[in-house]
Amino acid sequence: MQDGHHCRECGGREVMRRKFILALPLIVAIWPGHASSDDSVVCNDEKVASNIRIEACTRLLDQEKNKESRSRLLARRADAYFDKDDFAHALADFDEAIASHPGNADAFMRRGFLHWYRLEDDAAFKDFDAALRLDPAPSRLLSRGRRYVSLRQFDAGIADMTRAIKLDPRSRDAYADRAWAYSRKKAFDLAIADYDRLLKRDPSDGRTTLARDNVRAAKGAGVKSIDEYGRMLVARLQIEKSYPRRAVSDRVEGTAELAFSISRWGLLAASSVKTSSGSAMLDEAALNTLRQAQPFPPLPPGSRSIEAFVISLVYRKQSER
């Protein structure tokens, strides 16, 4: 009896041991402060809520000792802080990521995005330049190039986009970005040529077809009536329009209706906001768009010496990150 009782105890302990081993992965996954295999997925998934990503990245950082790995994790956690507008923690993590591994080009680039979003242009371009010295990847060249163009530094932006094309001649984004930059510079023929290159590869690309048609309209060649001239103006203003960066960070949206007149030789004679967007910042941006879009082509034959137009510009939130 005694031996049998002892054997039953042994069997019971063995069963409990096996159950514990089977339950161990679940215990590890839910144990506070202990990183699980899923944390790596969550930390890197931008679709996951920021707070959850931050917690996952933090658990991984608590156990990671390798400097390069810590640098990558810090940059990912910084992104999550950035997404929740916690800029102080985001900047601190980016700084630590770069200090931990100065060769982390991605951390420099993403810290540059943070500076750009906060309108700290000098710091942003310093980081973009550092990232590109470490790794002149086409995607990074395009990111810097777009920001040059938004500052109306067209030649610098086009140079970055051209470098990206040389590195990756099959890149659709590089040609599309350069076409956009050429159109902002009013080099319409060069913009059309880049769009043509893309359409030669993929004639079914609807986005590129629409963009090319808009540039052709903006060029204004062969305009014969005041209605056609009006369509040319709409196309030019759409190309010239850019969302004010302060409005992006302040989450300001609206539609500004402009009333203006153009002289026979294509110069702006007068302009005003007919219907406000509800934001003085957006209203001024709309007027600046109109000023920067000139000079326009001469008015078509048969027009009056000055013609009046009314055009609306819509500003909707778009991410600058």
Side-chain angles (χ1 to χ4, degrees), residues 3-4 108 125 143 168 176 183 204 222 225 235:
D3 289 340
F108 275 110
F125 278 96
S143 290
D168 183 7
S183 67
S204 65
S225 69

Side-chain angles (χ1 to χ4, degrees), residues 163-182:
R163 279 183 67 193
I165 289 169
K166 289 179 179 178
L167 289 170
D168 183 7
R170 300 298 300 173
S171 171
R172 181 198 178 281
D173 288 344
Y175 277 107
D177 280 0
R178 192 173 68 173
W180 165 71
Y182 278 137

Side-chain angles (χ1 to χ4, degrees), residues 19-320:
K19 286 182 177 179
F20 179 78
I21 291 171
L22 290 172
L24 187 59
L26 178 61
I27 294 170
V28 169
I30 64 175
W31 193 267
H34 193 104
S36 72
S37 58
D38 290 338
D39 280 335
S40 181
V41 176
V42 172
C43 179
N44 288 280
D45 190 346
E46 295 181 356
K47 296 179 181 178
V48 175
S50 299
N51 286 336
I52 295 174
R53 287 159 55 202
I54 290 167
E55 291 170 2
C57 294
T58 300
R59 285 192 292 270
L60 292 166
L61 281 163
D62 287 343
Q63 298 183 37
E64 185 58 67
K65 303 301 181 186
N66 180 271
K67 287 186 176 183
E68 290 189 22
S69 298
R70 284 188 61 80
S71 179
R72 287 191 294 269
L73 289 170
L74 284 162
R76 296 311 303 177
R77 190 172 70 175
D79 281 341
Y81 279 126
F82 188 4
D83 286 345
K84 63 178 289 188
D85 292 344
D86 187 345
F87 303 130
H89 280 102
L91 185 57
D93 270 359
F94 280 133
D95 289 346
E96 187 178 347
I98 290 167
S100 179
H101 178 41
N104 188 342
D106 198 39
F108 275 110
M109 201 73 197
R110 279 142 64 181
R111 188 175 69 177
F113 294 151
L114 172 59
H115 285 307
W116 175 262
Y117 187 77
R118 298 177 68 184
L119 309 182
E120 299 162 351
D121 293 356
D122 289 344
F125 278 96
K126 184 177 179 180
D127 276 346
F128 296 153
D129 294 347
L132 285 164
R133 281 194 297 270
L134 290 166
D135 181 12
S139 61
R140 295 192 179 107
L141 285 163
L142 294 179
S143 290
R144 186 177 68 176
R146 293 182 197 114
R147 285 159 177 81
Y148 274 133
V149 173
S150 73
L151 295 175
R152 304 186 66 78
Q153 297 181 34
F154 301 123
D155 291 340
I158 290 166
D160 272 352
M161 293 159 186
T162 301
R163 279 183 67 193
I165 289 169
K166 289 179 179 178
L167 289 170
D168 183 7
R170 300 298 300 173
S171 171
R172 181 198 178 281
D173 288 344
Y175 277 107
D177 280 0
R178 192 173 68 173
W180 165 71
Y182 278 137
S183 67
R184 289 292 305 275
K185 191 182 176 182
K186 300 183 182 64
F188 298 120
D189 288 334
L190 292 174
I192 292 168
D194 272 350
Y195 286 132
D196 283 343
R197 290 184 182 97
L198 290 175
L199 288 169
K200 186 176 180 180
R201 293 184 199 168
D202 182 7
S204 65
D205 186 344
R207 253 193 324 167
T208 298
T209 299
L210 287 173
R212 184 185 63 180
D213 289 348
N214 196 54
V215 173
R216 283 176 171 171
K219 183 180 177 183
V223 168
K224 297 178 181 178
S225 69
I226 203 66
D227 287 341
E228 289 179 351
Y229 195 88
R231 287 192 288 272
M232 178 275 298
L233 291 174
V234 170
R236 285 215 178 184
L237 293 182
Q238 287 303 318
I239 289 171
E240 187 63 45
K241 184 187 73 172
S242 60
Y243 201 109
R245 289 160 59 201
R246 176 63 70 186
V248 172
S249 60
D250 291 349
R251 295 176 172 84
V252 179
E253 299 182 341
T255 300
E257 187 179 50
L258 301 178
F260 58 96
S261 56
I262 294 178
S263 69
R264 176 172 292 147
W265 302 111
L267 298 176
L268 192 62
S271 62
S272 64
V273 175
K274 183 178 181 181
T275 304
S276 174
S277 64
S279 163
M281 185 189 332
L282 294 183
D283 290 347
E284 184 58 30
L287 288 170
N288 280 336
T289 295
L290 182 59
R291 297 181 194 112
Q292 290 166 351
Q294 63 175 332
F296 303 106
L299 294 172
S303 301
R304 291 171 292 188
S305 59
I306 292 180
E307 291 282 359
F309 302 89
V310 175
I311 293 177
S312 294
L313 293 180
V314 179
Y315 293 92
R316 291 286 178 263
K317 183 184 175 185
Q318 296 176 345
S319 175
E320 288 267 328

